[in-house]
Amino acid sequence: MLATILAIATLAIIFGLILGFAAIRFKVEGDPIVDKIDAVLPQTQCGQCTYPGCRPYAEAIANGEAQINQCPPGGEAVIHELADLLGVDPLPLNEEHGEHTEKTVVYIDEQICIGCTLCIQACPVDAIAGAAKLMHTVIEDECTGCDLCIPVCPVDCIYVKPVTETINTWKWPLPEVNQPTLKDLLDLKHIKQEQQS
Amino acid sequence: MTMRLWKIFGGLKLAGHKTMSMEDATEATPLPKILTLPLKQHIGHAAEAIVNVGDKVLKGQMIAAAKDYVSTPIHASSSGTVIAIEERPVPHPSGKTTDCIVIETDGEDKWIERVENANYRQLDASALRNIIRDSGIVGLGGAGFPSFIKLNPGPGNMVDTLILNGAECEPYITCDAMLMQEHGRKIIDGLNIMRHALQVERCIIAVEDNKRAAHTMLVNALQEHEAEYIDVVQIPTLYPAGGEKQLIKTLTGKEVPSNGLPINIGIVCHNVATAAAVADAVLEGKPLISRYVTVTGEGIEHPRNLDVLIGTPLNEIIELCGKRSEANQYIIGGPMMGFEIADTNIPVIKTCNCILIQNKKTEAEFVMPCIRCGQCAAVCPAQLLPQQLYWYARAKNFDKTQDYNLFDCIECGCCTYVCPSHIPLVQYYRFAKTEIWAQEQEKKSSDIARQRHEFRQFRMERKKAENEERKRQKKELLKKVSGKKDSADDAKKAAIKEAMERVKAKREAQSAIAKNTDNLTEKQKKEIAEIEARRKKAKEEN
Amino acid sequence: MSSIHSSPYIKTNENVTRMMLAVIFALIPGTLVYIHFFGWGVMINILIAIITALACEIGILKIRQRPIKPFIYDGTAVLTAILLALALPTLAPWWLAALGAAFAIIIAKHLYGGMGYNPFNPAMVGYAMLLIAFPKEMTAWIAAETHGLTFLNTLNFSLFNTLPDGISYDALTMATPLDTIKTQLSLGYTLDEVHSSHSSLFGNLAGYGWEWINIMFLIGGLVLIFIKVISWHIPVAVLGSLSIMAMLFNFADSGSYAPVSFHLFGGAAMLGAFFIATDPVTAAASTKGRLIYGAGIGILIYVIRTWGGYPDAIAFSVLLMNMAVPMIDYYYKPTVFGATGKS
């Protein structure tokens, strides 16, 4: 009996030493995880995740303070990439933070703009060109569609428009397959319930 | 002559449907009223218009110049006036519009002054390539890659074989076959020019063995000395033996590396029609302004090949061949790799090799689940696993699709053809490819957005720091100035204080001196009173 | 989702229904020979299994809200039912075939996602379940060419468990040749002794009657390969590895190990190699993978037959290799065109 206990204890000590040695000797110095997370996020800087920008959200995820499913502009693609990166299970998008919509940009109605520069100060990527009492214009190529400029405009002259698809940005659609997935059936049930009520 | 040929993996034997459009000789189409020339008829950057609305142009005049390296100019297909430069519908699966130059023809069909280079051998390779580039020549097999780039071996690349692709493996299409039959000599002239540009020794022209007449014409057109370095070879009829990589394997046994180009193994491959266009351009100074188009299908009364000016409206050439009333499916290209269009009011462009019109019976096809039969993998000429690509593309797991070499897929359609469950496999792969490209594009934009955001933050910090600095300096200055002011005040105050004290002292001193009216005795008081009385009396008397 | 359809715009005429029909037709010669030797029991089992399978399929498609017509007409349920019925003993009661078919369709096929998604061969799952749950009924085999059992007699027995006067259940039922060899060998007899003491059981190649059934299934299978409904890799790998195993052990000790011909033409070897193991949904996808898959099945058949607990091993071998298929697919990928060159 004693011999068995001693034997197992000795084995445990030996294996423990091996593991400890391996943990120190073969330790992998990885890149800071925050940079990697930030590289995945869409950089819209919209704040819908409740953090003031993509970098703070990345830091919060790295600290474990935030979930990976709080980014509506990133949508499912970003959630899956983050799940892969961090080795966790992907979660469905948290709808409290917003819906994943088509990419949009904003434009300023120049007839109404009064040149107050409030939108310029609000834009997180400096996509609005202009100066005080001079015309403001949105540089469409740089606009990320974060919509932060819209609430600050005192004359409500900023509107949202979907990004126009050109022949160069057109994508082949997913083929129609007439077998409903579970999600389709659940949606159907939801629609039927709505119709009945 | 018999050359050793290699077998390719997979592929299908398809019904050719070629004889129906090869019964008549090719005819040139009549001059259309309007020519619509898109600025992008090739792979690469769109050309930029160098004419304005209202300009008169001559046939063969350059109306749009190439922009950047991978780009080609556009030429007017006939003389006339530019009536518009605007967005018009073009041949594309999306049915969208793009910028086009619209020319109203004047009927005269007048050429510009052409430069003919019969002695092209005196020109050096790079001058030759410039002529080819300035003639707007692109790969006429359907891809539309600017040909002059493929005639440049590039630094450090040795080219040992030049192949002309006359295989035309897709069913229904016969434009290359007719060109080889009717202009075999021109093709060989073009081959010689390309050979000179590439400085290559050996040339092969490959023709499928169902095109006997074309093969014979080419062999007969060879001059004696040319037969020493040019092999006109018949390859077994198989779809897609005409695919560039498959053709190279068949003729040389070498496999183009995955994600690589034929130049990596010292081979350059061009279409026979491209060679003919090169001959026209160099020997006669004619830029690429027309091409052979096959108009065929069950929905056409009189299927045949036409020599069409680039920019001719498609519906005009369909009218020429007679459209049947049941015709309802319009495909540009062949049945395996072409794309459907809804509206035929679009122009013929450099890459349109065929318009196929069918009487499709509309029945909603039921797609069964994949039964993992593996027939798709058995026919894939790129030796991929279409089944796995399908599962991952459907799950939108794009990383895994790339692990299974999605971008090696040549979209030939063999897998979809054999699938017993009728799953639209190629559409899944096209979807995956365009999604991946879109994602890469988004990543680039988000990287730029991140940089702008970081710079903005840096700018705000900098502004803040500058403000702080200014405030601090101002405060410093103020402090110094206010310090001087205090001491002056103090001095003043001190002076005033001194003066006041002097006065006070003086007063006290004065008061300290006893006044003789103080402390008077009684006697003195009586005497003062008497004196006062006498003074008063004296005053009153005066 | 839109109505843009990509090329190709021409398709083969082949579809799942035609493939299943081809397989069913290829089974007919073997089935007819089976009926000739062992009576009507197998016919009744097939009918009961088909009816139950179709009924279950319709029911569960309705519950899953899937379109019914295309999935019924594709013939996969019918094929599963036939294969299951061919594996059952001739004197099995009606509820055995029905239960097996229902289990195969509902649990082994639809609970995993329906056609195309099941990892295990449904017919073999049904058979394995019956074998483990009802061992006594699953041994109700009869001798070849038993006279005296008409169609109505068999039907009567199947439905109502009554036999005509003069025939007892125990007299009718007997062990299959495979079973006999297995028990006798384990008792210590040599092969020659078994052959001489049970000579009526054995024909030229293998069990009497069984050898002809297997020959017919072999012919059906070769026809399927010829018309390209199945590929040659799996049957060749199964039979090849089975033969090699049998040859090796028979060579080592010909008294205790059955020869190659016995294994190839005995039991359900040909049926398994050409019709069961080749089920595309549950087999490996790539050709290299298929060879490994087939070889694994062949080896397992030999192992279970010789040293395992059951006389015939097709079902368990197939099910065990079905389990290994995802790993086989992961490791055996074909080389892509141009993979050997530098990029």
Side-chain angles (χ1 to χ4, degrees):
Chain A
M1 186 61 192
L2 188 63
T4 320
I5 296 176
L6 275 176
I8 295 196
T10 318
L11 277 174
I13 292 172
I14 293 175
F15 283 127
L17 283 171
I18 293 176
L19 280 174
F21 174 70
I24 298 173
R25 165 81 171 79
F26 298 110
K27 187 170 180 187
V28 174
E29 293 294 342
D31 285 340
I33 195 75
V34 175
D35 284 338
K36 284 190 186 161
I37 297 176
D38 194 36
V40 170
L41 295 175
Q43 303 306 315
T44 318
Q45 318 290 357
C46 58
Q48 285 180 287
C49 54
T50 72
Y51 293 91
C54 299
R55 182 114 196 147
Y57 180 45
E59 287 166 4
I61 294 178
N63 289 338
E65 290 160 6
Q67 289 287 347
I68 60 172
N69 62 346
Q70 296 174 212
C71 179
E76 293 284 332
V78 157
I79 292 177
H80 281 277
E81 262 202 76
L82 286 175
D84 276 339
L85 181 65
L86 302 168
V88 297
D89 284 329
L91 300 161
L93 181 63
N94 189 342
E95 299 279 310
E96 284 171 32
H97 296 272
E99 280 181 0
H100 178 68
T101 52
E102 287 293 325
K103 197 159 188 300
T104 53
V105 289
V106 293
Y107 66 96
I108 291 174
D109 185 347
E110 292 169 354
Q111 300 294 334
I112 311 177
C113 174
I114 57 171
C116 68
T117 76
L118 284 174
C119 59
I120 296 178
Q121 293 165 40
C123 177
V125 292
D126 287 340
I128 304 183
K133 304 233 177 79
L134 297 175
M135 184 49 61
H136 298 349
T137 311
V138 174
I139 307 171
E140 200 174 302
D141 281 343
E142 309 293 354
C143 174
T144 63
C146 70
D147 295 350
L148 286 174
C149 53
I150 297 182
V152 298
C153 176
V155 295
D156 279 335
C157 70
I158 307 186
Y159 303 102
V160 176
K161 65 170 180 175
V163 180
T164 42
E165 208 183 42
T166 62
I167 224 174
N168 291 328
T169 58
W170 178 80
K171 297 186 289 191
W172 276 97
L174 195 60
E176 285 175 13
V177 176
N178 35 27
Q179 284 143 58
T181 59
L182 186 61
K183 185 171 182 296
D184 296 328
L185 289 175
L186 290 174
D187 283 343
L188 198 64
K189 203 164 140 188
H190 186 63
I191 293 170
K192 274 196 186 146
Q193 279 175 351
E194 271 183 3
Q195 283 175 348
Q196 281 168 3
S197 59
Chain B
M1 60 194 83
T2 45
M3 205 179 82
R4 189 196 159 179
L5 295 175
W6 280 261
K7 270 197 73 169
I8 56 169
F9 181 87
L12 293 170
K13 283 216 177 343
L14 295 174
H17 297 284
K18 300 215 185 226
T19 39
M20 61 197 279
S21 53
M22 288 178 67
E23 286 169 16
D24 298 324
T26 314
E27 263 180 41
T29 50
L31 192 61
K33 261 261 131 247
I34 304 278
L35 286 169
T36 316
L37 296 158
L39 291 177
K40 185 165 153 54
Q41 301 179 32
H42 49 265
I43 293 176
H45 216 281
E48 281 185 334
I50 54 174
V51 292
N52 296 312
V53 177
D55 286 355
K56 288 220 184 306
V57 293
L58 292 172
K59 181 164 179 153
Q61 179 178 337
M62 193 190 286
I63 53 175
K67 181 172 177 185
D68 292 344
Y69 184 59
V70 185
S71 184
T72 332
I74 308 284
H75 300 80
S77 313
S78 185
S79 55
T81 323
V82 176
I83 56 170
I85 302 180
E86 61 188 15
E87 299 234 337
R88 290 284 172 104
V90 292
H92 191 267
S94 64
K96 286 190 183 294
T97 59
T98 186
D99 284 324
C100 299
I101 299 179
V102 186
I103 299 177
E104 186 178 16
T105 52
D106 57 11
E108 288 171 32
D109 216 29
K110 186 158 176 251
W111 272 99
I112 53 163
E113 277 223 34
R114 303 202 301 259
V115 178
E116 300 179 8
N117 289 294
N119 304 326
Y120 64 86
R121 275 180 233 272
Q122 260 100 52
L123 295 168
D124 75 358
S126 129
L128 211 51
R129 285 195 283 271
N130 278 333
I131 298 176
I132 294 172
R133 176 184 197 186
D134 290 337
S135 308
I137 298 180
V138 299
L140 292 175
F145 190 73
S147 303
F148 77 98
I149 300 180
K150 274 189 7 176
L151 289 172
N152 188 350
N157 281 329
M158 285 299 297
V159 182
D160 58 57
T161 317
L162 170 60
I163 298 176
L164 278 195
N165 187 346
E168 202 165 50
C169 50
E170 203 163 346
Y172 288 100
I173 307 182
T174 51
C175 53
D176 286 348
M178 294 303 281
L179 187 70
M180 287 190 282
Q181 273 179 235
E182 294 170 2
H183 296 281
R185 184 63 227 169
K186 202 194 287 194
I187 293 174
I188 296 175
D189 287 336
L191 178 62
N192 281 322
I193 298 171
M194 287 181 172
R195 185 168 168 260
H196 181 72
L198 280 169
Q199 300 290 302
V200 70
E201 189 48 48
R202 188 172 170 233
C203 305
I204 308 175
I205 307 181
V207 184
E208 272 190 342
D209 56 20
N210 58 2
K211 300 185 215 340
R212 296 276 169 78
H215 180 253
T216 319
M217 290 299 285
L218 281 171
V219 171
N220 290 341
L222 279 178
Q223 287 168 3
E224 252 194 69
H225 70 280
E226 288 172 341
E228 285 166 30
Y229 58 83
I230 301 180
D231 280 322
V232 182
V233 179
Q234 286 204 313
I235 58 172
T237 303
L238 187 70
Y239 178 79
E244 195 178 55
K245 295 184 177 182
Q246 280 64 41
L247 187 64
I248 291 174
K249 172 97 191 273
T250 311
L251 296 173
T252 64
K254 296 186 197 167
E255 288 189 3
V256 176
S258 168
N259 278 337
L261 295 167
I263 194 77
N264 297 128
I265 49 173
I267 297 176
V268 171
C269 188
H270 282 276
N271 183 276
V272 286
T274 314
V278 164
D280 271 339
V282 173
L283 299 174
E284 297 183 40
K286 287 185 186 169
L288 180 59
I289 52 165
S290 70
R291 68 158 299 150
Y292 274 29
V293 177
T294 311
V295 184
T296 182
E298 295 150 27
I300 288 282
E301 288 283 351
H302 189 187
R304 54 197 162 110
N305 283 283
L306 297 168
D307 191 1
V308 183
L309 289 174
I310 308 284
T312 309
L314 213 54
N315 45 16
E316 279 186 28
I317 64 170
I318 295 174
E319 283 299 312
L320 224 67
C321 302
K323 190 178 77 162
R324 295 215 170 108
S325 50
E326 319 89 68
N328 57 8
Q329 187 183 33
Y330 305 90
I331 300 170
I332 294 196
M336 296 297 284
M337 292 182 73
F339 55 89
E340 254 183 319
I341 47 167
D343 180 19
T344 51
N345 205 358
I346 50 180
V348 168
I349 59 175
K350 294 178 184 175
T351 51
C352 285
N353 54 356
C354 172
I355 170 90
L356 174 63
I357 300 181
Q358 304 278 55
N359 311 330
K360 188 174 73 159
K361 298 163 216 51
T362 45
E363 39 173 73
E365 258 230 51
F366 186 82
V367 173
M368 296 289 276
C370 169
I371 61 170
R372 296 165 47 90
C373 63
Q375 296 217 27
C376 50
V379 297
C380 177
Q383 290 167 225
L384 302 172
L385 276 176
Q387 215 186 89
Q388 303 292 60
L389 287 174
Y390 159 68
W391 288 120
Y392 290 120
R394 187 171 153 184
K396 302 194 191 150
N397 188 344
F398 298 120
D399 285 333
K400 265 298 212 295
T401 57
Q402 290 185 285
D403 280 344
Y404 280 89
N405 303 89
L406 173 70
F407 285 100
D408 280 339
C409 168
I410 61 175
E411 296 175 23
C412 65
C414 288
C415 51
T416 317
Y417 183 87
V418 294
C419 178
S421 296
H422 296 288
I423 301 174
L425 292 168
V426 173
Q427 195 166 345
Y428 279 100
Y429 310 145
R430 287 182 165 152
F431 160 75
K433 285 185 192 177
T434 48
E435 284 288 323
I436 291 172
W437 285 328
Q439 274 182 6
E440 283 174 8
Q441 206 47 45
E442 268 185 43
K443 198 139 208 95
K444 274 197 204 136
S445 340
S446 73
D447 281 341
I448 293 177
R450 185 183 310 113
Q451 279 176 12
R452 289 184 75 89
H453 181 67
E454 282 172 5
F455 182 75
R456 176 193 148 87
Q457 286 184 321
F458 164 72
R459 184 172 62 84
M460 305 295 255
E461 295 282 306
R462 188 178 61 183
K463 192 168 167 190
K464 205 162 151 194
E466 279 174 2
N467 277 346
E468 292 278 298
E469 184 60 27
R470 238 182 307 132
K471 263 193 209 152
R472 195 183 60 81
Q473 281 183 353
K474 200 172 184 183
K475 211 173 188 176
E476 287 273 333
L477 201 62
L478 269 168
K479 231 190 213 162
K480 270 195 218 143
V481 168
S482 60
K484 273 201 211 119
K485 204 169 156 207
D486 272 352
S487 59
D489 267 354
D490 279 344
K492 237 192 195 166
K493 271 197 188 136
I496 290 172
K497 206 171 171 188
E498 272 175 21
M500 280 176 69
E501 274 172 358
R502 258 184 287 141
V503 166
K504 200 172 173 190
K506 219 183 192 174
R507 277 220 195 107
E508 277 176 2
Q510 267 188 345
S511 60
I513 300 167
K515 289 198 179 114
N516 54 6
T517 51
D518 286 334
N519 301 329
L520 290 168
T521 58
E522 285 302 313
K523 192 182 170 207
Q524 282 173 310
K525 275 185 187 167
K526 210 171 157 200
E527 276 181 13
I528 291 171
E530 279 176 9
I531 295 168
E532 282 289 311
R534 264 200 311 258
R535 201 190 279 150
K536 217 170 174 182
K537 208 168 160 195
K539 230 185 206 172
E540 280 174 25
E541 280 175 4
N542 294 345
Chain C
M1 302 286 178
S2 83
S3 58
I4 294 188
H5 293 289
S6 127
S7 57
Y9 299 104
I10 47 177
K11 294 261 165 70
T12 179
N13 287 329
E14 189 74 18
N15 55 27
V16 182
T17 313
R18 283 170 62 127
M19 282 174 73
M20 294 298 125
L21 279 176
V23 176
I24 293 172
F25 280 131
L27 281 171
I28 289 179
T31 313
L32 289 174
V33 173
Y34 199 134
I35 296 174
H36 167 79
F37 278 108
F38 293 101
W40 295 101
V42 72
M43 191 74 236
I44 297 169
N45 282 337
I46 289 178
L47 284 171
I48 295 174
I50 290 179
I51 295 170
T52 325
L54 286 175
C56 290
E57 180 110 324
I58 292 174
I60 202 140
L61 282 171
K62 263 217 170 75
I63 295 174
R64 291 181 71 205
Q65 294 177 341
R66 295 283 199 267
I68 294 181
K69 242 175 116 178
F71 286 111
I72 294 296
Y73 280 135
D74 69 8
T76 51
V78 173
L79 184 60
T80 304
I82 296 177
L83 287 173
L84 175 65
L86 282 172
L88 294 177
T90 38
L91 282 187
W94 67 272
W95 50 265
L96 204 69
L99 190 62
F103 191 83
I105 297 292
I106 296 177
I107 300 202
K109 186 170 156 189
H110 278 278
L111 247 55
Y112 281 100
M115 192 190 90
Y117 297 98
N118 46 305
F120 294 107
N121 189 315
M124 292 300 104
V125 170
Y127 176 83
M129 183 277 287
L130 292 175
L131 189 59
I132 294 172
F134 304 101
K136 178 167 171 291
E137 283 82 356
M138 289 296 278
T139 56
W141 299 93
I142 59 177
E145 288 179 339
T146 306
H147 301 286
L149 266 186
T150 63
F151 175 73
L152 280 173
N153 287 342
T154 325
L155 190 60
N156 229 354
F157 179 74
S158 172
L159 292 175
F160 305 113
N161 206 18
T162 49
L163 282 169
D165 295 329
I167 306 178
S168 75
Y169 180 79
D170 289 321
L172 265 184
T173 56
M174 60 184 299
T176 58
L178 267 180
D179 204 3
T180 311
I181 289 238
K182 200 179 171 72
T183 39
Q184 297 300 321
L185 282 176
S186 64
L187 287 173
Y189 295 106
T190 66
L191 269 178
D192 292 326
E193 285 167 0
V194 179
H195 272 273
S196 49
S197 59
H198 290 84
S199 57
S200 59
L201 263 185
F202 299 97
N204 296 324
L205 289 170
Y208 182 67
W210 286 102
E211 55 192 1
W212 278 110
I213 297 174
N214 274 301
I215 290 173
M216 283 299 149
F217 283 137
L218 172 64
I219 293 176
L222 289 172
V223 167
L224 282 183
I225 292 181
F226 184 69
I227 60 174
K228 295 207 175 98
V229 170
I230 60 178
S231 68
W232 59 265
H233 304 88
I234 296 180
V236 164
V238 173
L239 296 174
S241 56
L242 183 59
S243 315
I244 290 174
M245 289 289 282
M247 248 194 302
L248 285 173
F249 283 93
N250 188 248
F251 186 68
D253 182 359
S254 62
S256 326
Y257 296 101
V260 179
S261 60
F262 186 79
H263 276 287
L264 283 185
F265 291 96
M270 291 297 172
L271 182 69
F274 287 96
F275 296 91
I276 296 177
T278 53
D279 173 33
V281 180
T282 52
S286 53
T287 43
K288 272 192 238 173
R290 282 179 174 171
L291 289 172
I292 305 286
Y293 172 75
I297 291 180
I299 294 173
L300 280 170
I301 293 177
Y302 188 81
V303 166
I304 298 177
R305 272 183 180 175
T306 316
W307 300 290
Y310 291 94
D312 203 359
I314 310 292
F316 292 112
S317 317
V318 169
L319 290 175
L320 283 169
M321 287 312 287
N322 285 155
M323 258 193 273
V325 158
M327 192 177 77
I328 294 176
D329 276 339
Y330 181 77
Y331 282 112
Y332 287 96
K333 295 178 200 160
T335 28
V336 172
F337 185 96
T340 45
K342 57 174 166 59
S343 66

